[in-house]
Amino acid sequence: MEQWQKDLVEIVETVADEVERFFLGMSEMVDAFFELTEEFTEQVPNIAIEVDQYLQDLTEPMFEAYWELEDIVTDIDPGFPYSVEPTAEKNPACIGCTHYHGQVYSGNLLVCAMHPHGCEDENCPDWEKEEY
């Protein structure tokens, strides 16, 4: 056998050994990863229960204080705007109008820009159909 053939066989054997070592190393890493994943999976339910208990212990006193304050503060306007829909009894001319605003600010209802306190007639001259 000539020298170049011997060198080629030696190179092929070296590459085969390196590839085998690479895949053995990868196999060991994958096994270690699966072991770590199994350990983590076993601990996750315990962690979730502990976090849930912690959050419950943290929020329970706040909720109790909130419910106590709600009992005390019932007639005070929260100061935050809230919506009021027009009804047949209150602002009937505004039902279905695109201009209707219907937000209460600090206890004051803003009906719309043209009629801040609402239209006094049953038919509003500025009424326009609401588009959907």
Side-chain angles (χ1 to χ4, degrees):
M1 196 187 267
E2 291 185 31
Q3 183 61 36
W4 70 270
Q5 291 172 331
K6 289 179 184 176
D7 290 343
L8 181 62
V9 168
E10 187 178 314
I11 290 173
V12 169
E13 288 174 354
T14 304
V15 169
D17 289 342
E18 290 297 321
V19 168
E20 183 178 355
R21 240 185 274 143
F22 171 77
F23 282 113
L24 284 174
M26 289 301 292
S27 176
E28 290 173 5
M29 286 178 26
V30 168
D31 289 343
F33 176 74
F34 279 127
E35 287 177 19
L36 181 65
T37 304
E38 286 176 7
E39 290 176 19
F40 182 72
T41 304
E42 290 171 0
Q43 293 177 6
V44 165
N46 296 336
I47 292 171
I49 291 170
E50 290 176 16
V51 168
D52 186 44
Q53 184 63 41
Y54 173 75
L55 291 175
Q56 187 175 359
D57 292 345
L58 182 67
T59 57
E60 191 172 319
M62 288 185 241
F63 282 135
E64 287 177 11
Y66 174 77
W67 295 124
E68 289 174 10
L69 282 175
E70 187 177 71
D71 293 340
I72 295 171
V73 184
T74 54
D75 297 330
I76 298 176
D77 181 34
F80 294 106
Y82 58 91
S83 296
V84 175
E85 294 296 320
T87 63
E89 296 81 28
K90 187 85 171 163
N91 298 315
C94 301
I95 296 174
C97 180
T98 191
H99 301 296
Y100 183 75
H101 183 66
Q103 294 286 316
V104 177
Y105 300 96
S106 299
N108 299 312
L109 173 64
L110 175 59
V111 177
C112 72
M114 281 78 66
H115 307 279
H117 301 288
C119 188
E120 292 156 19
D121 294 335
E122 287 185 16
N123 296 318
C124 178
D126 300 304
W127 189 90
E128 289 182 21
K129 182 177 177 157
E130 198 169 20
E131 295 180 20
Y132 293 100

